[in-house]
Structure formats: structure tokens, C-alpha cells
């Protein structure tokens, strides 16, 4: 369903398990950034009522996920560390077309968002199946389902509002690009690292 070119090496879960506080902190900040991204898309494309309505719900859900991760952090006696840079997302961001029309910019932002959700969904699925911590296994299973919904939301709006853009071609280009950069990740206890 996700059409990712390269699956995460299952050994990444062992790296994650070596430092749960770090993965949870990184995850919390990923959720905050996802909410901010949805709000940015709304701000830049407020003329589309259905997009605004759906992405407001998505942003609220991402903030709820942030809160849920923070509650797990507190319950375990950890502390929410400072925000982490997400090198994967920053590299993916470089793919976005900065020239061209507003429509092209919107489509690229939506596809960029769909790709991040797809990779997060894939990572959450792997965690849900392989992490030895039962609470986190269940938690990541629930979030995997949510991320899949976000992925289809972003992709759906790209298809709906990208009428003058070859969405399938652009999406395939992004899949190829992500497939290359992801080769450098999966080696640290971060969601995309």
C-alpha cells in the first residue's frame, strides 16, 4: 500500500530498544512537527474548504499523539528532551519544487507530507511487530493505523487539487528520491534516523 522503495532493516528496532527515552523524545517532536506542517498547508491553501476541514482534524490528531507520547515519557520517569533536527525530513524537503505555480508548490508539499507519513507508518508497523515492550507495541500499532490514514489524506488532496500536475509521475519521482536517501538512515534511535 505504501509503495516505499526500501523497507527498514528490522535490526533498527534493536537500536531503538537500546534507548527508549531518545526514541520517545524524537517521536514526540515528530508529532509536533507534523501538526505544524498541517497548519502550514492550511495557511497556504485556505481557499480549499475541505482541505482546511480535514487538515484541522489531522493537526489536532497529531497534537493528541504528541500528548500521548509525552504521557508515556512522564510515566516512565523520562524527560522530554529538546527538539531534535530530523535530517531525513530536511533531505526530503530538498526534493520539493520551489519554483513554478502555487498548484505545483501545494502538490509537492502534500506529496512530501504523504511520504513522511508513509515512512512513519512503515516504522510504526515494524515497532508494533518487533519491539519487546508490550505497551509500546500496542501503542505503535494504533499509531500505524492513524499514519496510514494521514498518508491517504495527503495523497488524496494532491490528486484532487493537482489537476495540472502529473501526480503519478511526481509521486514516483519522490518514491525514487526517498528510496535513495533512506539508505543512509535506520542506524539511530530516532523515528526516521
Amino acid at each position: 500500500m505504501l509503495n516505499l522503495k526500501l523497507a527498514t532493516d528490522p535490526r533498527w528496532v534493536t537500536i531503538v530498544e537500546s534507548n527508549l527515552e531518545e526514541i520517545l523524545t524524537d517521536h514526540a517532536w515528530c508529532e509536533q512537527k507534523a501538526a505544524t506542517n498541517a497548519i502550514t498547508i492550511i495557511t497556504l491553501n485556505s481557499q480549499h474548504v475541505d482541505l482546511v476541514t480535514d487538515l484541522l482534524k489531522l493537526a489536532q490528531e497529531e497534537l493528541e499523539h504528541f500528548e500521548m507520547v509525552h504521557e508515556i515519557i512522564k510515566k516512565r520517569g523520562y524527560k522530554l528532551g529538546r527538539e531534535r533536527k530530523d535530517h531525513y525530513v530536511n533531505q526530503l524537503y530538498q526534493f520539493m519544487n520551489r519554483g513554478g505555480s502555487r498548484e505545483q508548490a501545494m502538490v509537492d508539499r502534500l506529496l512530501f507530507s504523504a511520504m513522511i507519513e508513509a515512512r512513519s507508518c512503515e516504522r510504526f508497523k515494524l515497532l508494533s511487530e518487533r519491539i519487546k515492550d508490550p505497551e509500546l507495541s500496542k501503542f505503535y500499532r494504533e499509531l500505524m493505523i492513524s499514519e496510514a490514514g494521514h498518508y491517504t489524506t495527503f495523497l488524496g488532496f494532491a490528486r484532487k487539487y493537482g489537476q495540472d500536475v502529473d501526480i503519478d509521475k511526481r509521486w514516483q519521482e519522490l518514491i525514487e528520491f526517498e528510496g535513495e536517501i533512506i539508505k543512509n538512515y535506520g542506524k539511530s534511535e530516532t523515528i526516521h534516523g
Side-chain angles (χ1 to χ4, degrees):
M1 172 190 140
L2 299 171
N3 299 315
L4 296 173
K5 194 157 180 69
L6 185 65
T8 299
D9 185 329
R11 292 177 290 187
W12 170 74
V13 176
T14 304
I15 296 167
V16 165
E17 289 176 315
S18 72
N19 192 346
L20 292 178
E21 185 170 9
E22 180 61 28
I23 188 74
L24 289 168
T25 292
D26 181 71
H27 180 190
W29 289 115
C30 285
E31 298 292 356
Q32 177 272 322
K33 290 172 195 164
T36 301
N37 179 58
I39 291 168
T40 298
I41 294 171
I42 289 168
T43 302
L44 297 173
N45 303 285
S46 58
Q47 71 276 21
H48 301 298
V49 175
D50 57 344
L51 181 140
V52 171
T53 300
D54 288 357
L55 291 192
L56 276 171
K57 289 177 190 159
L58 191 147
Q60 290 168 338
E61 194 171 298
E62 298 289 18
L63 280 177
E64 287 169 12
H65 294 168
F66 184 29
E67 182 180 23
M68 291 164 70
V69 178
H70 187 237
E71 289 303 316
I72 292 171
I73 288 170
K74 291 189 309 185
K75 184 170 105 179
R76 291 175 179 231
Y78 300 152
K79 295 216 180 329
L80 177 63
R82 297 190 58 85
E83 178 185 3
R84 275 46 170 174
K85 286 188 180 196
D86 192 324
H87 299 290
Y88 163 82
V89 170
N90 290 337
Q91 262 194 291
L92 207 56
Y93 186 78
Q94 298 307 310
F95 181 79
M96 288 201 312
N97 190 342
R98 283 169 197 58
S101 68
R102 275 181 64 95
E103 180 186 25
Q104 179 69 56
M106 177 178 66
V107 164
D108 272 20
R109 186 65 177 242
L110 290 165
L111 294 179
F112 160 82
S113 303
M115 181 57 70
I116 295 168
E117 297 289 347
R119 181 57 67 183
S120 297
C121 181
E122 186 255 357
R123 292 274 170 106
F124 292 167
K125 181 178 189 295
L126 191 58
L127 285 171
S128 74
E129 294 170 348
R130 294 188 174 257
I131 200 163
K132 293 178 183 89
D133 185 305
E135 178 189 23
L136 292 180
S137 174
K138 182 177 185 287
F139 178 63
Y140 282 112
R141 171 95 179 121
E142 292 167 4
L143 289 188
M144 175 198 71
I145 296 164
S146 177
E147 299 298 291
H150 297 170
Y151 158 77
T152 58
T153 295
F154 286 123
L155 206 50
F157 279 121
R159 291 189 191 290
K160 181 174 184 176
Y161 290 113
Q163 293 141 355
D164 295 329
V165 178
D166 186 341
I167 302 298
D168 291 332
K169 179 178 181 274
R170 191 67 179 147
W171 180 240
Q172 194 57 48
E173 291 169 353
L174 183 54
I175 287 170
E176 293 294 326
F177 181 79
E178 197 269 353
E180 286 303 311
I181 67 170
I182 200 65
K183 292 176 183 175
N184 300 316
Y185 295 95
K187 300 171 182 108
S188 67
E189 60 280 317
T190 59
I191 294 299
H192 301 119

